[in-house]
Amino acid sequence: MAENVKEHFDIAVIGAGPAGLSAAAKAAEYDLDARAANPDHTPSHILIEGSPLHANTIQRYQKGKHVMDEPGYLDLRSPLEFAAGKREQILKSWDQGISETGINFRANCEVTKITGSRGNFEIHCADGNTISANNVVLSIGTQGNPRRLGVDGDNSHFVQYQLDDPDEYHDEDIIVVGAGDAAIENALALAKNNRVVIVNRKNEFTRAKQGNLDNVLEAINDRNMAFSCRYDASVKSLSVPPPGSVGTVVLNTARGDETLPCHRVIARLGSIPPRQFVESCGIALPNKDPEAIPELDGQYQCNVPGLYIIGALAGYPLIKQGMNQGYDVIEYIKGKAVKPVDHPLLALKFSLLPYLADVDDILALYQQRVPMFSRMNALAFRELIMESDIRYCVSDAQQLNSLQSQGASISQERIRDIESARSADIQRRQSAGLAIKPVTPISPPVITKLLRSGDFIYRHNDYSNSFFTIIEGQVTLSSAEGSDTILGPGQFFGEMSLLSGRPRIGNAVASNDTILIETPRRTMAKLMAANDEVAKGIETVFLQRTLQQFFTPQGSYVDLRDIAKQVKTSHFNTGKYIYKEDDAGEHLYLIRSGTIALSRLENGKEIAIGQLHSGQIFGQMALMGDPTRRESAYAAVRSEVIEISRQPFLALLSKSPESITRLQTETSKQLKSTAELAALPEQASLMSFLLAQGTGEGTNVLLIDENLCVGCDNCETACAETHKGISRLDRKAGVRFANINLPIACRHCEQPHCMKECPPNAIHRESSGEVYINDSCIGCGNCETNCPYGVIKLSYQLPEKPPFLSWLFGGVGPGPGEDKNATPSNMAKEIGKKAVKCDACVDRPAGPACVQYCPTGAAQRMEPAEFINVLNLR
């Protein structure tokens, strides 16, 4: 041991963030108990912090920041108090906790290196001192290494990576880049005195806590706030101004480049783990990824015996999670058999499965069985299972009824346990003179979901997007062409709808004793954003299955692995060209999502000659004998396409020669359609108009032929009568071209903009495609803001009108249709406005009322692929 070692401890906790504080407080409790038995007992623990104060990251939070205590489903285990509240209140509470528990806290002590292993660790400090310990708990976080923008000027005065006090800035234009909690909180705080734009490279806030998500969406929809969001956007370049002046930021957005003037940029893009320090301590990282985090066992121990890692460096940045880990890790070190706080919740999810095993054993088995999950940090995998459903397929109705009865008993027992724990906590708090926490209703516990053998998991053309992983048993995927693919343990499915937003292709049926993990789209989006390996794995299988579906339906997608490596996916913003007329072609393209318009120049004017949608190919003539492009192809809406060059194309055909005939038929059909449209310039102009209005991303579009329309407004009247007096379409406000009116009415988009940020998850999609809003709507207005076509409005519930016959024979009431002069009741005003939109009369057996009650047949609903019928080109 080094000569300058002056102190030795059983436990050294490095880093005084929430996780480290909780660990040190639990260790201090053990010292308090020991001191009660022996007054001469000296601290067996030490908490080491490199900065002057504890919780350095929270100390640097903006003043007055509201700190949340998510996830809400987890209880808190810690000697220190923590509940959602202002930064200042939480720090004060922890100050008191440090004093009351007697934490042996040493600040301004920077650790430069850790050597040794259990029983013989040496902690080298910047001041030259060395501390020895039997066990080390590393809780240093990652906040000291911010991720940069990655463009010229990102290290200038124009860009900040930290916001200490938002009240320093007034009357400025500020751009906040990022979609996590820190970015949202900074943007909202700055918006009190400034004009703020928040830039999100995704189309939703997948990484935000629920509270922050609600707050930022409310701000985006508040017309009294100078606050807006640019979704699907990233910083392309900066024009750095002299200090105190206005510069510009160029954003790459879905609709092209956008230049925004601003006084400063706040970049909150997360942080990168301190890899060099971690590896210098002997800690192994799983790969060369700069953002890789250590692999840990179930007790948070890394590959170095006796060295434990908790908090953000372990992959869990949430405060409550870190504090629970701090408590647990000390219990482990002290030899206590403690289960993680989520253990009983996971036990419920596994409660009806046909085997007896501990939660940890089941999780380990599942991670081992599924290659994709084996790449995940074990703690992140626990969180994924917490947010997913476990589905178990039983043999018959008798077994189903028996297990359902067992599940009901388990649910009731869980509720009784929660009620008992609440009563005990109230008594404890009353005895200690502490405030009583507000009591929230107890939600029904989530247990194993059941289905019967042979039941459909989903059907062909269903609009659903959850992701399935097979743990036990088999699932049969049946293609639209009738071929079957059988998947077994470790494989997954559902990725095509997850990634593309398209309806399900084919049916999925489970066999007896099959166990599935069904993960919601939002959870998978969060996982793929955080884990590149998982994202790449899913993308690879997606490509294989897409190629199989189009080119080799009877073949195995396993045979397509090498070919899939030779193709690539490209993104095109609205209006961007994939290729232009007279270009030399080298690829064909398969549309993954979106709509591609085909056009030609006629007398110097570009006219549309065709439109293609998800699942279709284009540009194939370049590989079938005509390398010169005879038309231009551009993205009518933001689109993704799979590019296939000659070599993989020929390899695909060699695996399935019968696909040549199908390809030739599809090509002939396309050529005939484009030739007919090119020969009719008026109809081609009409097609250009429809595509320019964004109809290409719809699945169910209302068109009115004004050559037939008599202006009776029966369509609006019928809509209002069908929907409690509120019309969901506006004929007069529609845009027109030639004889076609495109009224304000929902298009039921392939990837609905309105669904992406709905706090109560009130917007749903029927398996047949209709998008509707249920009664859980809270009237936040997010859907109204996110819809680019103005088809959603907020409205009070209107009073019920007198019966139709009373109006017809007695003149009582306003008559059929929407009463523009109706006054909502006081109760309706108290409930507040709710979002209303066209639901395509999803529950109406006769179909859309607007179409049924049009006396001339002028109103028609159709898929964009059917527009060709409107142009009289059957």
Side-chain angles (χ1 to χ4, degrees):
M1 194 174 292
E3 292 184 358
N4 63 343
V5 171
K6 297 179 180 178
E7 300 169 287
H8 177 81
F9 299 93
D10 181 40
I11 299 172
V13 181
I14 302 174
L21 280 171
S22 184
K26 187 60 184 174
E29 279 192 344
Y30 276 99
D31 280 338
L32 285 174
D33 292 341
R35 196 173 297 116
N38 177 14
D40 295 329
H41 175 81
T42 57
S44 66
H45 78 282
I46 185 171
L47 174 61
I48 305 169
E49 170 60 42
S51 60
L53 299 170
H54 66 278
N56 181 54
T57 298
I58 297 176
Q59 297 279 1
R60 298 189 66 190
Y61 279 174
Q62 62 207 37
K63 293 181 180 179
K65 167 180 158 49
H66 180 76
V67 181
M68 285 174 283
D69 58 357
E70 293 190 9
Y73 57 79
L74 288 184
D75 294 328
L76 176 68
R77 286 178 177 171
S78 178
L80 302 180
E81 291 285 336
F82 173 61
K86 288 190 175 182
R87 154 192 175 272
E88 291 78 6
Q89 295 170 336
I90 290 165
L91 292 173
K92 181 179 179 181
S93 169
W94 289 347
D95 276 330
Q96 294 173 346
I98 290 172
S99 175
E100 291 171 0
T101 58
I103 293 176
N104 183 26
F105 181 39
R106 185 164 303 171
N108 289 315
C109 183
E110 182 184 353
V111 174
T112 58
K113 186 170 62 171
I114 303 171
T115 58
S117 60
R118 180 182 288 116
N120 190 31
F121 282 106
E122 291 190 356
I123 302 165
H124 302 264
C125 303
D127 61 7
N129 290 321
T130 304
I131 297 169
S132 72
N134 296 329
N135 302 277
V136 171
V137 179
L138 195 59
S139 177
I140 59 174
T142 63
Q143 291 300 313
N145 304 275
R147 189 180 291 108
R148 303 280 174 177
L149 282 174
V151 297
D152 290 343
D154 67 355
N155 202 28
S156 66
H157 69 275
F158 189 45
V159 182
Q160 299 172 210
Y161 295 92
Q162 177 69 34
L163 178 66
D164 294 329
D165 185 359
D167 292 335
E168 291 181 12
Y169 309 106
H170 291 265
D171 196 31
E172 290 190 354
D173 292 291
I174 300 175
I175 294 177
V176 178
V177 184
D181 292 309
I184 292 171
E185 290 158 0
N186 285 180
L188 292 174
L190 288 164
K192 294 175 182 177
N193 301 308
N194 303 278
R195 299 167 295 277
V196 176
V197 175
I198 186 168
V199 177
N200 183 350
R201 68 184 179 91
K202 301 288 186 179
N203 65 357
E204 56 188 311
F205 292 91
T206 57
R207 296 184 290 117
K209 299 187 187 79
Q210 189 62 49
N212 277 334
L213 177 62
D214 295 344
N215 291 337
V216 73
L217 296 180
E218 181 180 357
I220 292 170
N221 291 291
D222 188 343
R223 289 169 174 77
N224 296 317
M225 287 183 68
F227 189 97
S228 61
C229 177
R230 298 297 189 273
Y231 290 103
D232 289 315
S234 59
V235 175
K236 183 177 182 179
S237 64
L238 303 172
S239 178
V240 179
S245 301
V246 175
T248 59
V249 174
V250 178
L251 299 179
N252 180 6
T253 77
R255 297 186 178 275
D257 289 352
E258 180 181 7
T259 301
L260 297 175
C262 66
H263 292 84
R264 68 188 69 250
V265 177
I266 311 289
R268 303 307 304 269
L269 303 172
S271 52
I272 301 172
R275 186 180 187 109
Q276 184 175 353
F277 173 79
V278 167
E279 291 184 316
S280 75
C281 298
I283 301 169
L285 295 173
N287 52 55
K288 296 297 184 182
D289 186 341
E291 299 187 34
I293 57 177
E295 292 184 334
L296 309 175
D297 64 17
Q299 288 74 45
Y300 312 110
Q301 185 174 221
C302 70
N303 61 293
V304 180
L307 179 52
Y308 303 84
I309 301 175
I310 58 175
L313 188 58
Y316 268 61
L318 298 183
I319 293 174
K320 187 190 292 184
Q321 292 169 330
M323 294 183 74
N324 285 340
Q325 292 171 1
Y327 176 99
D328 292 349
V329 77
I330 299 303
E331 292 288 73
Y332 294 140
I333 292 172
K334 294 296 184 180
K336 301 291 182 67
V338 60
K339 297 292 186 183
V341 71
D342 61 8
H343 189 277
L345 302 178
L346 289 168
L348 287 169
K349 287 181 178 283
F350 301 143
S351 59
L352 302 183
L353 296 182
Y355 40 70
L356 297 175
D358 183 73
V359 165
D360 292 333
D361 293 333
I362 295 174
L363 290 171
L365 173 67
Y366 286 7
Q367 266 204 282
Q368 181 183 15
R369 183 156 291 174
V370 181
M372 178 181 67
F373 291 156
S374 67
R375 302 177 182 132
M376 294 177 62
N377 174 282
L379 302 177
F381 180 64
R382 290 183 80 99
E383 185 175 14
L384 179 135
I385 296 299
M386 280 298 304
E387 296 179 3
S388 302
D389 284 330
I390 305 298
R391 291 190 170 272
Y392 174 44
C393 183
V394 300
S395 59
D396 52 38
Q398 182 177 356
Q399 186 182 9
L400 180 69
N401 293 335
S402 174
L403 286 175
Q404 285 177 335
S405 176
Q406 181 182 337
S409 298
I410 292 172
S411 295
Q412 289 301 315
E413 182 179 351
R414 170 64 180 171
I415 291 173
R416 286 194 295 269
D417 288 344
I418 294 173
E419 291 172 341
S420 176
R422 284 185 172 182
S423 297
D425 184 62
I426 290 172
Q427 292 177 4
R428 180 184 67 83
R429 288 180 167 274
Q430 287 175 335
S431 300
L434 299 173
I436 305 301
K437 297 178 180 178
V439 177
T440 56
I442 299 173
S443 300
V446 178
I447 62 174
T448 316
K449 308 290 185 183
L450 301 172
L451 68 159
R452 287 190 301 179
S453 177
D455 283 352
F456 287 98
I457 301 167
Y458 58 71
R459 294 175 183 265
H460 181 62
N461 279 335
D462 279 358
Y463 280 89
S464 59
N465 50 27
S466 52
F467 181 85
F468 297 90
T469 311
I470 305 172
I471 300 299
E472 305 273 4
Q474 291 183 340
V475 170
T476 300
L477 302 182
S478 300
S479 72
E481 290 78 18
S483 62
D484 289 346
T485 300
I486 297 177
L487 305 180
Q491 294 182 289
F492 58 79
F493 60 100
E495 78 291 337
M496 298 184 76
S497 293
L498 171 78
L499 295 179
S500 71
R502 291 161 50 193
R504 301 291 191 186
I505 297 175
N507 301 322
V509 178
S511 64
N512 187 35
D513 286 334
T514 293
I515 298 173
L516 301 171
I517 299 173
E518 181 179 3
T519 306
R521 186 200 62 81
R522 181 172 173 84
T523 299
M524 286 305 302
K526 180 171 64 174
L527 171 61
M528 293 171 68
N531 191 314
D532 285 342
E533 283 191 272
V534 171
K536 289 175 182 176
I538 293 174
E539 176 71 20
T540 297
V541 172
F542 171 86
L543 288 174
Q544 292 169 9
R545 289 183 178 159
T546 300
L547 295 175
Q548 177 200 32
Q549 170 203 328
F550 196 89
F551 292 100
T552 63
Q554 306 300 323
S556 168
Y557 73 87
V558 176
D559 295 335
L560 299 172
R561 285 176 179 166
D562 291 338
I563 298 176
K565 294 176 183 178
Q566 300 176 57
V567 305
K568 73 172 185 175
T569 301
S570 297
H571 304 249
F572 293 90
N573 291 332
T574 303
K576 293 296 183 181
Y577 284 86
I578 294 90
Y579 58 76
K580 290 192 174 183
E581 193 174 350
D582 295 327
D583 284 352
E586 298 177 351
H587 298 82
L588 71 81
Y589 301 88
L590 177 58
I591 306 173
R592 171 170 164 164
S593 65
T595 297
I596 301 299
L598 303 179
S599 65
R600 284 183 189 164
L601 283 174
E602 296 288 345
N603 299 320
K605 181 182 179 182
E606 189 170 29
I607 61 170
I609 60 168
Q611 57 167 335
L612 299 165
H613 305 277
S614 298
Q616 293 185 281
I617 62 169
F618 66 99
Q620 64 269 34
M621 287 302 298
L623 303 182
M624 296 175 66
D626 187 1
T628 301
R629 301 294 190 189
R630 302 303 176 183
E631 73 287 321
S632 298
Y634 65 90
V637 296
R638 184 177 174 87
S639 304
E640 293 180 278
V641 300
I642 298 170
E643 299 184 19
I644 304 173
S645 60
R646 183 173 301 278
Q647 184 174 346
F649 173 65
L650 294 177
L652 287 166
L653 296 184
S654 69
K655 288 187 176 294
S656 182
E658 64 274 12
S659 66
I660 297 175
T661 301
R662 188 161 63 95
L663 182 61
Q664 290 173 334
T665 300
E666 174 69 18
T667 302
S668 176
K669 181 180 176 182
Q670 282 186 19
L671 291 174
K672 180 181 177 182
S673 176
T674 57
E676 289 177 334
L677 196 55
L680 299 169
E682 290 184 6
Q683 285 87 338
S685 296
L686 179 54
M687 178 67 80
S688 297
F689 159 75
L690 291 172
L691 291 174
Q693 297 302 316
T695 57
E697 66 176 328
T699 64
N700 188 335
V701 181
L702 178 63
L703 298 180
I704 297 176
D705 184 346
E706 297 213 318
N707 286 339
L708 299 175
C709 178
V710 295
C712 64
D713 280 335
N714 276 8
C715 52
E716 289 193 36
T717 301
C719 182
E721 288 300 297
T722 307
H723 295 100
K724 298 181 180 179
I726 303 173
S727 176
R728 279 89 185 289
L729 73 90
D730 190 337
R731 179 186 66 84
K732 296 182 184 66
V735 290
R736 294 163 172 80
F737 186 91
N739 64 306
I740 295 298
N741 174 9
L742 180 63
I744 304 297
C746 184
R747 293 106 178 272
H748 303 274
C749 296
E750 186 176 75
Q751 299 191 58
H753 302 271
C754 56
M755 291 181 69
K756 67 184 179 183
E757 300 283 20
C758 178
N761 193 30
I763 307 180
H764 300 273
R765 183 162 218 157
E766 278 291 302
S767 59
S768 50
E770 297 89 351
V771 180
Y772 65 95
I773 303 173
N774 68 20
D775 292 338
S776 65
C777 172
I778 59 175
C780 66
N782 296 340
C783 54
E784 182 187 29
T785 298
N786 288 334
C787 175
Y789 306 115
V791 304
I792 302 178
K793 61 183 178 182
L794 296 179
S795 177
Y796 292 113
Q797 181 176 339
L798 298 183
E800 189 172 338
K801 295 187 297 184
F804 172 74
L805 292 179
S806 297
W807 167 79
L808 182 64
F809 294 112
V812 179
E818 183 172 337
D819 181 5
K820 302 294 185 182
N821 298 315
T823 302
S825 66
N826 290 333
M827 180 176 292
K829 290 181 179 179
E830 185 176 333
I831 293 172
K833 291 184 176 182
K834 300 293 182 73
V836 294
K837 66 175 286 295
C838 158
D839 57 7
C841 295
V842 60
D843 295 324
R844 195 169 181 274
C850 58
V851 173
Q852 182 185 5
Y853 288 101
C854 177
T856 63
Q860 295 292 328
R861 277 198 167 273
M862 62 189 69
E863 300 177 17
E866 298 174 309
F867 288 168
I868 200 77
N869 297 332
V870 177
L871 306 179
N872 297 317
L873 292 176
R874 292 182 179 87

